[in-house]
Amino acid sequence: MSRETVVNFILAALLLAVPLLANAVGQPFYITLATRIAILALAATGLNLALGLGGLVSFGHAAFFGIGGYAAGILATHGFSGEPLVFGLSGTNQMLVIWIVAAVTAGLAGLAIGAISLRTSGVYFIMITLAFAQMVYYFAVSWPAYGGEDGLSILVRNQFPGVSTMRPLSFFLICYVVLLAAIGLFALIRASRFGSALQAARQNPVRVATVGIRPFRIRLTAFAISAMMTALAGALFADLNRFVSPSMLSWHMSGELIVLIILGGTGRLFGPLAGAALYVIIEYALGGITERWQFFLGLILLGVVLFARGGLLGFIAGKARHG
Amino acid sequence: MVEPVLQISDLVKSFGALRATDGVTLDLHPGEIHALIGPNGAGKSTLIHQICGTVRQDSGTIRFAGQDIGGLGVAERAQRGLGRTFQVSSLAPEFSALRNVMLAVQAKQGSSFRFFKPAMLDRSLTEPAMTVLDRVGLAERARIPASELSHGERRQLEIAIALALGSRAFLLDEPMAGMGPEGSKTLTRFLDRLRQEAPILLVEHDMDAVFALADRISVLVYGRIIATGTVEDIRRDPAVRSAYLGDHD
């Protein structure tokens, strides 16, 4: 077993142990904290597929995160009020349905945004993904039907068959399982033929084209899968806070997801989880001392970029091997 | 007469006032090595770029395996069997030699949209890839990342990738570049056998290799082919001697 595998196991075990312990001693706040880590890690795992494997630095993944959040919020609102949504379809309070709607919507949005953005690269790609996300952001701000700038409350957390989602630990476990499933999917994709083509397209697109694979299609598919995963996290995030607002769509959110990945280790299987854990812990620990905790986050990020390019995982587990 | 595999007619490409390719006509027959030589700046690279599709010609046609490929992209030309190597090695540096070749194998199988089966455990990829690595003498280095291979090994790996594609013609852009004398000799022997598999358009500065291998030689100077013929024809051609070979004798 490689050192990275050991670190991964420890991370996964810790993330499970903390809420269990918190539950045992009656400290639900820490369960919420762990849930936040799991959800942010899920969102960043989605982005990691595009950014880490594909080298596609999307500065617009907040769009997909927010689309997932609004899918949950809007469906729950209609489910609660009983008003039909569109074409006589009603809302729902079933997470499973919400997840599918969130993922499909974001997947289609990802295809559309990707189809245009992926014709550019480098700084232009970063800027065009940002521009698309800002369009979605301002659309949400100016859409009064679902709260506009004020956002939309979800009065009762959505339901999952056989689980009482209002219990913090149960909701955490749902998020935890979804996160592990996403990480598993990421691992499968990374090792697959598709993953070979995607990673090769990051390392050397000319090489990929020269063997007869068009990088564009590979990247577009990865971008859409990435969007779906991040949207799933958005739906869970809305359920965690029982609130969704345009802030989920803001460019700060896009930046935060990139920061999580860089902190944890770009392209690493558990990089997003390591990054999300570090981020939330810093936010909590330093946020209690000073309002300017982000200053210190900036310093840490600077340190990682300058001295530990592989992020936390690269620092602990060494250089990645690709087979 | 057998139809040429690759046939380039009246190809023209200008960059501003410079005619980098000035009415080039060139063909490649089955089983032959056709060497393209010329001094630096003669337009060899521009010509190669047009053949593989990274640069679009202003006019003229490129026919490959009986079809006009002049309007196709790089990937489509590769899919039709145009295998190339680069003047400066172009590999996926983080991948092992094996996975670099496996990428070509999966491209040939047309199966890059498979998401779940681990590629490294897929024998329909690893076995053909190991076979070609063995042929170019890299079998023992299969698990080494391309970035850690020596210069010569990277050149061999490029050829392995072109082989794995099952190319119908090879476009080798200075395969000897930067190789030591031993490496050049080994590679020369290898290319000599390779022509049975598919014809080679060889761009090369190493004249020993060119004279040893080429069935025909074309000399490119200022974007024009000034002579085409056998090794003996080219050696004797006065225009070639003054334009090019004169420097060497």
Side-chain angles (χ1 to χ4, degrees):
Chain A
M1 204 157 46
S2 77
R3 191 155 164 186
E4 182 167 356
T5 316
V6 177
V7 175
N8 292 348
F9 266 115
I10 294 173
L11 276 172
L14 274 178
L15 182 62
L16 181 61
V18 169
L20 287 178
L21 203 67
N23 190 54
V25 298
Q27 292 279 359
F29 172 73
Y30 291 100
I31 304 177
T32 306
L33 219 55
T35 311
R36 202 174 133 76
I37 291 174
I39 293 171
L40 287 177
L42 175 63
T45 300
L47 177 58
N48 203 22
L49 200 77
L51 193 158
L53 296 187
L56 308 170
V57 185
S58 165
F59 198 14
H61 258 51
F64 309 124
F65 194 63
I67 284 172
Y70 272 95
I74 292 170
L75 284 172
T77 303
H78 284 275
F80 193 77
S81 67
E83 281 175 47
L85 191 59
V86 275
F87 313 126
L89 290 170
S90 60
T92 178
N93 63 357
Q94 286 301 315
M95 280 187 192
L96 288 172
V97 179
I98 288 170
W99 293 351
I100 292 169
V101 173
V104 169
T105 312
L108 292 174
L111 281 178
I113 294 175
I116 297 168
S117 310
L118 287 167
R119 299 188 186 279
T120 67
S121 62
V123 172
Y124 299 99
F125 180 78
I126 296 174
M127 286 299 130
I128 200 166
T129 49
L130 171 65
F132 274 115
Q134 289 300 92
M135 281 166 61
V136 180
Y137 171 79
Y138 284 110
F139 179 77
V141 166
S142 59
W143 196 17
Y146 297 108
E149 211 166 349
D150 298 329
L152 187 61
S153 287
I154 299 172
L155 297 174
V156 181
R157 190 172 283 158
N158 293 304
Q159 303 295 307
F160 191 90
V163 180
S164 161
T165 54
M166 281 314 284
R167 285 186 58 218
L169 186 65
S170 309
F171 183 63
F172 166 79
L173 288 172
I174 291 173
C175 297
Y176 184 73
V177 170
V178 173
L179 171 66
L180 288 190
I183 290 175
L185 184 65
F186 181 94
L188 281 177
I189 289 177
R190 187 173 65 169
S192 71
R193 293 178 182 218
F194 179 78
S196 290
L198 180 60
Q199 292 168 83
R202 164 173 55 78
Q203 299 169 45
N204 188 345
V206 176
R207 168 42 70 201
V208 175
T210 310
V211 298
I213 301 171
R214 263 179 281 179
F216 178 78
R217 290 184 186 176
I218 299 287
R219 288 173 171 156
L220 184 58
T221 309
F223 196 75
I225 298 172
S226 162
M228 292 168 87
M229 237 183 231
T230 301
L232 188 54
L236 288 168
F237 196 70
D239 256 328
L240 171 67
N241 302 321
R242 275 178 286 151
F243 177 65
V244 47
S245 78
S247 71
M248 276 180 78
L249 293 158
S250 80
W251 65 269
H252 302 90
M253 190 66 225
S254 297
E256 198 175 310
L257 292 178
I258 296 176
V259 167
L260 298 184
I261 290 178
I262 295 173
L263 277 179
T266 312
R268 304 300 274 257
L269 193 53
F270 276 70
L273 175 54
L278 192 63
Y279 185 89
V280 171
I281 290 168
I282 292 171
E283 180 185 43
Y284 169 68
L286 292 178
I289 303 166
T290 167
E291 267 178 44
R292 300 190 178 22
W293 64 274
Q294 280 171 325
F295 172 77
F296 295 97
L297 177 74
L299 283 184
I300 292 171
L301 193 62
L302 206 61
V304 167
V305 172
L306 288 177
F307 304 113
R309 293 289 289 275
L312 195 61
L313 274 179
F315 190 69
I316 303 172
K319 214 170 154 238
R321 302 289 290 187
H322 290 269
Chain B
M1 192 176 145
V2 195
E3 199 194 345
V5 179
L6 179 69
Q7 189 162 29
I8 297 157
S9 312
D10 302 317
L11 209 62
V12 174
K13 176 72 193 177
S14 303
F15 298 104
L18 175 74
R19 273 170 100 86
T21 305
D22 193 1
V24 167
T25 295
L26 186 78
D27 57 11
L28 184 64
H29 293 287
E32 79 166 343
I33 295 182
H34 189 156
L36 183 67
I37 63 172
N40 285 326
K44 299 189 295 290
S45 292
T46 307
L47 183 58
I48 292 279
H49 282 306
Q50 290 169 84
I51 298 172
C52 48
T54 42
V55 169
R56 192 58 50 91
Q57 70 277 8
D58 296 336
S59 65
T61 58
I62 305 171
R63 291 179 66 80
F64 180 65
Q67 283 170 311
D68 188 350
I69 59 164
L72 300 179
V74 177
E76 285 140 322
R77 293 185 200 200
Q79 278 164 5
R80 280 159 205 249
L82 195 60
R84 80 168 285 202
T85 68
F86 293 82
Q87 197 174 348
V88 177
S89 295
S90 182
L91 301 158
E94 295 169 18
F95 282 175
S96 64
L98 179 61
R99 203 167 181 187
N100 266 286
V101 180
M102 285 164 59
L103 188 69
V105 177
Q106 81 178 44
K108 188 190 173 197
Q109 293 175 359
S111 58
S112 287
F113 285 90
R114 293 197 195 160
F115 299 87
F116 302 115
K117 189 172 183 183
M120 298 307 292
L121 304 177
D122 186 343
R123 293 175 66 174
S124 67
L125 290 179
T126 53
E127 279 175 6
M130 278 311 295
T131 307
V132 287
L133 280 173
D134 195 36
R135 276 188 65 191
V136 301
L138 276 180
E140 282 168 19
R141 306 282 283 163
R143 298 280 169 177
I144 309 290
S147 60
E148 291 170 27
L149 293 175
S150 75
H151 179 83
E153 287 170 335
R154 279 184 227 173
R155 316 249 30 147
Q156 286 164 277
L157 181 52
E158 290 232 342
I159 291 172
I161 291 170
L163 281 176
L165 284 173
S167 303
R168 296 157 85 168
F170 296 108
L171 207 60
L172 306 185
D173 195 357
E174 297 196 25
M176 310 286 176
M179 293 269 240
E182 249 340 281
S184 295
K185 265 184 212 157
T186 314
L187 190 55
T188 303
R189 280 196 296 275
F190 182 78
L191 295 182
D192 199 15
R193 293 192 303 271
L194 187 59
R195 81 181 93 194
Q196 315 298 336
E197 204 156 321
I200 302 172
L201 184 64
L202 177 71
V203 177
E204 188 49 68
H205 274 301
D206 180 339
M207 283 305 145
D208 292 338
V210 168
F211 287 145
L213 287 170
D215 298 295
R216 284 192 298 158
I217 300 177
S218 288
V219 185
L220 192 68
V221 178
Y222 294 124
R224 304 186 73 97
I225 302 252
I226 60 165
T228 297
T230 63
V231 172
E232 277 314 305
D233 296 341
I234 295 300
R235 275 190 205 269
R236 279 198 296 264
D237 192 302
V240 175
R241 292 186 77 92
S242 66
Y244 188 27
L245 293 177
D247 316 6
H248 292 266
D249 286 347

